[in-house]
Amino acid sequence: MVTPYSLCLTPSQVKGRQRRLLNEWNDIVATIGPRRDITVEVIATNANSIPTAYRVTYDLLSIRDVNDAGEPLFARGFTMDVTLPDDYPQADAPPEFRFITTAATPWLPWHPNISHYGDMAGRVCLNRLNTFSSLAWGIERVALYLRYELYHALPEPPYPEDLKVAEWVRKKGEPNEWIFFEQQ
């Protein structure tokens, strides 16, 4: 679902970076709009009123942490900000996908491709060079992360974003089948 935001521009009215940003927005509306488990809200725009930052809320069940015994703690609902740097879409200016805590979602996901600790807590690694295709693709890929349908927990390239979580996945999550949970 995409929260209402009207844009009076068409791709033929803008060029270069502005066209790419507009195409990204149109792709999000077309791809994410029909979904009920993901909500996208525009939180910042540029001088042309084209979105440059989004808040994404996932209404999905996922692991949010582990208890002292190493067993998973589950939660439903995670919030992520997607921010486009001024140089986006240049190769050296990728979008930043980062989970945040809010009053409604006071936790971060527990996933090897999402940093859980320290200054980088919440940062999402979308992996391999040259695989990023669009913001909608990235938003949908993160949904696969939250459902544990996609993850990289091996200590080899492309390295996991969070090595502690990756070790838990290999040593406890997979052997106990805790990461193989159903969405309800």
Side-chain angles (χ1 to χ4, degrees):
M1 177 173 19
V2 177
T3 59
Y5 179 79
S6 66
L7 202 55
C8 298
L9 294 173
T10 63
S12 64
Q13 294 173 299
V14 290
K15 296 178 181 171
R17 178 177 190 268
Q18 302 305 313
R19 181 176 284 181
R20 172 66 185 263
L21 294 175
L22 182 58
N23 285 336
E24 294 280 15
W25 168 246
N26 290 335
D27 190 31
I28 288 171
V29 170
T31 305
I32 307 299
R35 295 186 64 145
R36 296 284 176 235
D37 57 346
I38 303 173
T39 302
V40 178
E41 170 189 2
V42 174
I43 59 173
T45 60
N46 64 17
N48 292 327
S49 298
I50 299 173
T52 57
Y54 302 90
R55 176 139 309 145
V56 182
T57 304
Y58 294 91
D59 183 22
L60 295 168
L61 180 70
S62 191
I63 301 170
R64 67 171 176 85
D65 211 338
V66 295
N67 63 21
D68 292 339
E71 300 166 331
L73 301 172
F74 289 88
R76 177 177 292 282
F78 297 87
T79 303
M80 178 180 72
D81 282 351
V82 178
T83 307
L84 305 177
D86 291 337
D87 293 345
Y88 179 81
Q90 293 180 15
D92 61 347
E96 180 180 318
F97 287 71
R98 190 176 199 131
F99 279 92
I100 61 169
T101 58
T102 67
T105 58
W107 46 72
L108 297 173
W110 179 265
H111 189 280
N113 302 110
I114 301 168
S115 190
H116 197 77
Y117 299 102
D119 293 340
M120 300 306 286
R123 185 177 117 167
V124 179
C125 177
L126 291 173
N127 282 3
R128 307 192 182 188
L129 188 63
N130 299 325
T131 60
F132 182 82
S133 61
S134 73
L135 295 178
W137 173 89
I139 292 167
E140 288 193 313
R141 185 175 179 94
V142 171
L144 296 174
Y145 286 5
L146 293 174
R147 292 193 303 257
Y148 270 84
E149 292 178 18
L150 186 61
Y151 63 91
H152 180 76
L154 298 174
E156 59 189 40
Y159 294 99
E161 183 70 21
D162 194 307
L163 295 174
K164 182 176 179 179
V165 176
E167 181 179 19
W168 177 87
V169 166
R170 290 189 319 274
K171 292 184 177 179
K172 293 191 175 198
E174 289 175 336
N176 292 301
E177 298 186 356
W178 288 331
I179 62 168
F180 308 113
F181 54 90
E182 295 293 321
Q183 291 297 316
Q184 301 152 359

